[in-house]
Amino acid sequence: MEGLVYMSTSAVEALVIMSDPMRLALLFAGVIVGLALGVIPGLGGIIGLALLIPFTFDMDKYAAFAFLLGMSAVTTTSDTIPAVLFGVPGTAGSAATVLDGHPLAKQGQAGRAFGAAFTASMVGGILGAVLLGLSIPVLRPIMLVIGSPELLAFSIFGLSMVSVLSGGTPMRGLIAACIGLLVAMVGSDPQAGINRMSFDLIYLWEGIPIVPVVLGLFALPEMADLAIARTSISRVGSEDTDTRSGQWQGVRDTFRHWWLVTRVSFIGAGLGAIPGIGNAVVDWVAYGHAMRTEKGAAETFGKGDIRGVLASEGSNNAKDGGGLVPTVAFGVPGSTGMALLLGVFLIHGLTPGPEMIVKNLEVTYSMVWSIALANVLGTGICFMFANQLARLALIRYSIITPMVLSVIFVGAFQGTRHWGDIYALLAFGFLGWFMKRLRWPRPPLILGVVLGTIVERYTFFSVNRYGWEWLWKEPYIVPIVLAIALVGLLSPLLREWRRAGGALGFAEKFDARPTIDAQVLAYLFCGAVFGTWIYYASGWGYATRLGPMLVSIFGMSILVVSFANHLLRGAETGGEDDGTRSRHLDLVATGKDLSRGVIARRASIFLAYILGFILFTALFGMLAAGVAFVIAYMRLEGREPWKIVVPCAVGLLLFSVVVFDQVLRLPWPEAELIDLVVESRSVIMSLLRP
Amino acid sequence: MRHTITAVNTAITAVVALLSFGTGDAVRAADYYKDKTITVNVGYKPGGSADADARLIAKHLGKHIPGNPNIIVQNRPGGGGVRAINYAYNRAEPDGLSVFQLGSAHYLQQLAGSKAVKFDVSKMPILGAWTKSSYVLAIRSDKYANFEAIKNAKVLPKIADKGTGSGTAVMTVAWQKGLNIKLDVLPGYGSSESSLAVERGEADGRTLGVSGILRRSPHWISKNFAPPVVQAGPKRDPRIPDVPTVYDLNPNPGKFYRTVNEGLAFSRPYALPPKTSSEPVGILRTAWGKMLKDDAFHADLKKRKWTFVPTPHDEVEKFYQEVMKDASPDVVKDLKKLFP
């Protein structure tokens, strides 16, 4: 009882502290910066923190946290804007928003998507903060019960979402997830520090960074398809585009589905508290959860269902509250952003741990208030601009494509500020585009990439420390969570199996004439990936080899079954996926009305532009490349008049110089053609000696 | 493009200079850094102590350099900090505008002949190191009551650690070699994660800095939860006078321990690209010296509870030059295992 009184007086005290006009003004300033960073693909809270922390040295601790948390809490509010409008996630946290938000924009309902997303972001953010506030007294005891085995179980639970996120093609989803896991295993292994598949490239030592992967998988394909379809994003005219009424509709949607928003907020906050599970996973797990539990979701998700937007957006704002839990209670940062924030604790002489829960409780509560207030402010500001933003969807492709692409390249380069980021963007762009075209689900791949590292690490910790006992250890959280994960993983597979008529169904549709199409190439590609890993991994030590071997062999076995299924089930039924029957959980490639020849030609032109952009960057730097790209594309490809081209090019130049160079001080890629030659030689050499 | 912008900046500077009144020779010498931007490069991601260290230097160094240049921090993460130093050694302009933070264990990785290393720390001008990290081995007292219990343990103490390549990993090996004890290392944990693993009983102990344990886990000592059983030395840290050094427990801890211990203690020396001309090197070293005496710098250290134990540049340089010449082949062999 006494504790409760102390808690509530501290909470009130913190509110009084926060109501100081100067602190509120700083919170507001942080929110503005955060919203701006969230909108630009590739930039987000981490860059914001690195940028703003030096300014907080001389602030008092409450003001410092108000400023920084204000900024980081709302990047996941505004990141919806490019996700809905262009299909380009603003941060890794809004990749799942693309799935339903972007189709809504194409249907002229960008306003509704914004209304729902902003409101859900606010509700999620507040619920996350409340959850943090309420759980403060029990934080430490809970965290001490949750060891590596429990964290492993939670991560496996996240991974089990793969099957529901695969829609009607569960086997392809599993294959994609395995490829994602292997992507995560590139770099030095967590145990022996041996480099896996790095081919002497230092870039690959610490693994492939998530930013270029997400932008490559989701953003580049969207831009490519826009360039191929040669339309504006919205397929309906301006008179059919919703504005204020649509936003209001979105707000009502949020409250009609209040129970869903509440659930995903809890998921977001809970996962946010697990170190290593960041932004890039919570939205997908929440999306998968909605997909599994919402009525009729299986049929409508991925085609512009507002509940998909709500699930993703509610969860990613709630995660900040959760992420503060291990940071405040133990000084264990849950993410890079939290690691930076931890530095601020130390700068202000605060020690994470018991002190924050007893002596400095009012500081902790001031953080709770900061997050909650920032979410309200952020949503309010987004609504103010939503009307104008929604109109961007009406602009022609020839203006949108070069401008957005230039920004994507700068954003991707922020992964590690290495040329490798640009190659990674391109490689995953290819992969993403083909997956989208061939209807292989992309979400499982992302889930694999993000969770792969964590699952491997926690598996080693658990097995090293507890042997097999990790599975059956008090308080039995592990077996319970694993059981739920198993059911979640298997039930969609079983459903698809039954839908296909079980073994009998398969036998009936058997066709001895194999179906040969583009899918065959996709299967061969995946087979080559697994095969290469198995080949190289067989030469590594046990600890280095175990993870990749298990994943490759599992992936290969699924691949064999799925490939056989595709080859031998006849062209009419088309294996797992015939394009009409199956529920495909991903965006469907546009331009169905275009002939193959036209698509191939336009895709090649687009690729040529991208390669040109990269070459130009290598020779003259990225800023010049961006401007040249905008001018060339708009003039030659879009045949835009100079009176539109010049303002766009100048605008991009000014924006880049002022925002990226002067304010954010982002480093630009340097002309590294010579390096490329040198590095490619070392790759070839290392390929020769596995 | 950076070059174009720099060119524009230079042009503006030139115009401004033309418009301003004539300047004397003495001022011109001091103007080396006027209107320039110095980049402090750190080989790790934002967050974490290396990054915080670089940001502190960036905050304080500039005002002691004539011409008051702007100083920014740039993270160049990759390869456990190696990528940044490779860049420093092979690519960075030797114009005194790029300062690099060396990792404490980089010289050992160079000694080990790691393939990734494309630098030679003994050829880089050093500015100095402002602190020393003295390591301790902390073990839960409910599992192992004292050093004797560790030495005679049937079940080896489980030590959570970052794993290969880090200073604590090297030190964890050094304890075993220097004290003839055996530890069961659980690699892969992050720094604060290791502490949490000890708290929840997943691990029995860890290697960490004296400052770290005092600042982040004071109850390990005050409540005798996981007190340090040994410290690196050579002398006892005045903050933990009761904890024996390795030399107290074993007067002759062997070559490996000696090679590793002294160099690891220089915490993150700041260095310049090789062949940087003497003018900027001199200016920066003078500024570094002034910064170390600045009250504002010390106020920030105090606020962060960081300890100030500087090592002058010549001492660090001398150590690196000697160790590269004199390291014994046995030690190099052992190091190779730590830096695959």
Side-chain angles (χ1 to χ4, degrees), chain A residues 101-167:
Chain A
H102 192 48
L104 281 167
K106 286 181 183 170
Q107 295 155 20
Q109 298 188 57
R112 183 179 172 207
F114 283 155
F118 297 151
T119 317
S121 288
M122 181 180 80
V123 174
I126 293 175
L127 281 179
V130 168
L131 205 61
L132 167 68
L134 290 179
S135 61
I136 282 170
V138 289
L139 283 187
R140 273 183 70 89
I142 289 181
M143 284 284 290
L144 282 176
V145 172
I146 310 274
S148 293
E150 286 76 17
L151 293 172
L152 173 59
F154 290 130
S155 313
I156 291 176
F157 168 75
L159 206 53
S160 75
M161 286 293 170
V162 158
S163 72
V164 69
L165 287 172
S166 306

Side-chain angles (χ1 to χ4, degrees), chain B residues 177-256:
Chain B
K177 289 190 176 291
L179 296 167
N180 298 315
I181 55 170
K182 280 209 155 69
L183 304 168
D184 181 5
V185 181
L186 306 175
Y189 287 91
S191 173
S192 41
E193 238 179 357
S194 304
S195 292
L196 182 52
V198 175
E199 297 226 359
R200 65 188 175 211
E202 209 166 292
D204 303 320
R206 65 169 297 206
T207 300
L208 73 170
V210 179
S211 309
I213 194 169
L214 291 173
R215 194 171 63 227
R216 303 280 295 277
S217 315
H219 63 287
W220 286 20
I221 299 174
S222 65
K223 296 197 174 141
N224 203 37
F225 172 75
V229 289
V230 60
Q231 57 177 312
K235 287 190 290 256
R236 292 188 186 194
D237 190 302
R239 293 168 295 174
I240 43 168
D242 303 332
V243 179
T245 67
V246 169
Y247 291 93
D248 292 335
L249 296 170
N250 181 5
N252 189 12
K255 275 187 205 154
F256 184 88

Side-chain angles (χ1 to χ4, degrees), chain A residues 149-413:
Chain A
E150 286 76 17
L151 293 172
L152 173 59
F154 290 130
S155 313
I156 291 176
F157 168 75
L159 206 53
S160 75
M161 286 293 170
V162 158
S163 72
V164 69
L165 287 172
S166 306
T169 52
M171 284 195 285
R172 285 183 192 168
L174 284 177
I175 297 168
C178 287
I179 301 237
L181 288 168
L182 291 176
V183 168
M185 287 173 187
V186 170
S188 76
D189 82 89
Q191 284 269 293
I194 306 282
N195 282 316
R196 295 184 294 209
M197 307 294 261
S198 315
F199 306 116
D200 290 353
L201 289 174
I202 274 202
Y203 175 69
L204 295 176
W205 273 32
E206 287 177 7
I208 299 170
I210 193 75
V211 170
V213 174
V214 171
L215 287 179
L217 278 180
F218 292 94
L220 275 194
E222 228 39 66
M223 287 296 115
D225 280 347
L226 188 62
I228 288 167
R230 295 192 172 169
T231 58
S232 59
I233 286 161
S234 176
R235 300 298 148 81
V236 295
S238 63
E239 64 279 7
D240 293 324
T241 302
D242 65 345
T243 48
R244 287 276 175 232
S245 64
Q247 290 166 32
W248 180 235
Q249 165 77 31
V251 175
R252 276 186 314 214
D253 285 329
T254 314
F255 290 104
R256 200 170 65 236
H257 300 292
W258 66 273
W259 179 226
L260 171 67
V261 177
T262 310
R263 272 164 20 228
V264 295
S265 302
F266 282 135
I267 291 177
L271 288 178
I274 300 179
I277 296 197
N279 233 343
V281 169
V282 289
D283 55 333
W284 289 115
V285 174
Y287 190 87
H289 168 78
M291 170 101 187
R292 188 181 282 168
T293 52
E294 288 290 297
K295 216 172 169 182
E299 273 66 44
T300 53
F301 267 41
K303 298 186 178 70
D305 189 319
I306 201 74
R307 292 173 298 178
V309 176
L310 292 172
S312 168
E313 285 303 311
S315 69
N316 67 19
N317 277 55
K319 116 198 153 288
D320 270 346
L324 270 175
V325 168
T327 317
V328 168
F330 285 96
V332 174
S335 60
T336 314
M338 285 298 159
L340 278 165
L341 218 51
L342 195 62
V344 181
F345 277 76
L346 303 178
I347 288 166
H348 289 279
L350 297 166
T351 308
E355 215 178 76
M356 294 301 297
I357 294 163
V358 185
K359 205 176 100 199
N360 293 320
L361 189 58
E362 86 287 353
V363 182
T364 310
Y365 272 111
S366 78
M367 296 182 193
V368 174
W369 288 116
S370 295
I371 294 180
L373 277 173
N375 273 290
V376 176
L377 276 175
T379 294
I381 295 168
C382 281
F383 267 118
M384 274 164 54
F385 294 105
N387 231 1
Q388 287 75 21
L389 288 168
R391 300 200 157 270
L392 288 177
L394 298 169
I395 297 175
R396 281 186 301 279
Y397 80 100
S398 49
I399 300 174
I400 293 287
T401 312
M403 301 287 271
V404 174
L405 262 176
S406 301
V407 176
I408 288 174
F409 269 97
V410 180
F413 187 65

Side-chain angles (χ1 to χ4, degrees), chain A residues 500-514:
Chain A
L504 211 66
F506 275 85
E508 267 173 17
K509 287 171 193 145
F510 177 79
D511 187 339
R513 288 161 305 160

Side-chain angles (χ1 to χ4, degrees), chain A residues 148 205-206 457 465 623, chain B residues 1 80 83 91 116 193 202:
Chain A
S148 293
W205 273 32
E206 287 177 7
R457 280 183 70 221
R465 173 64 179 83
L623 191 51
Chain B
M1 196 55 225
R83 180 188 150 214
R91 294 291 308 277
E193 238 179 357
E202 209 166 292

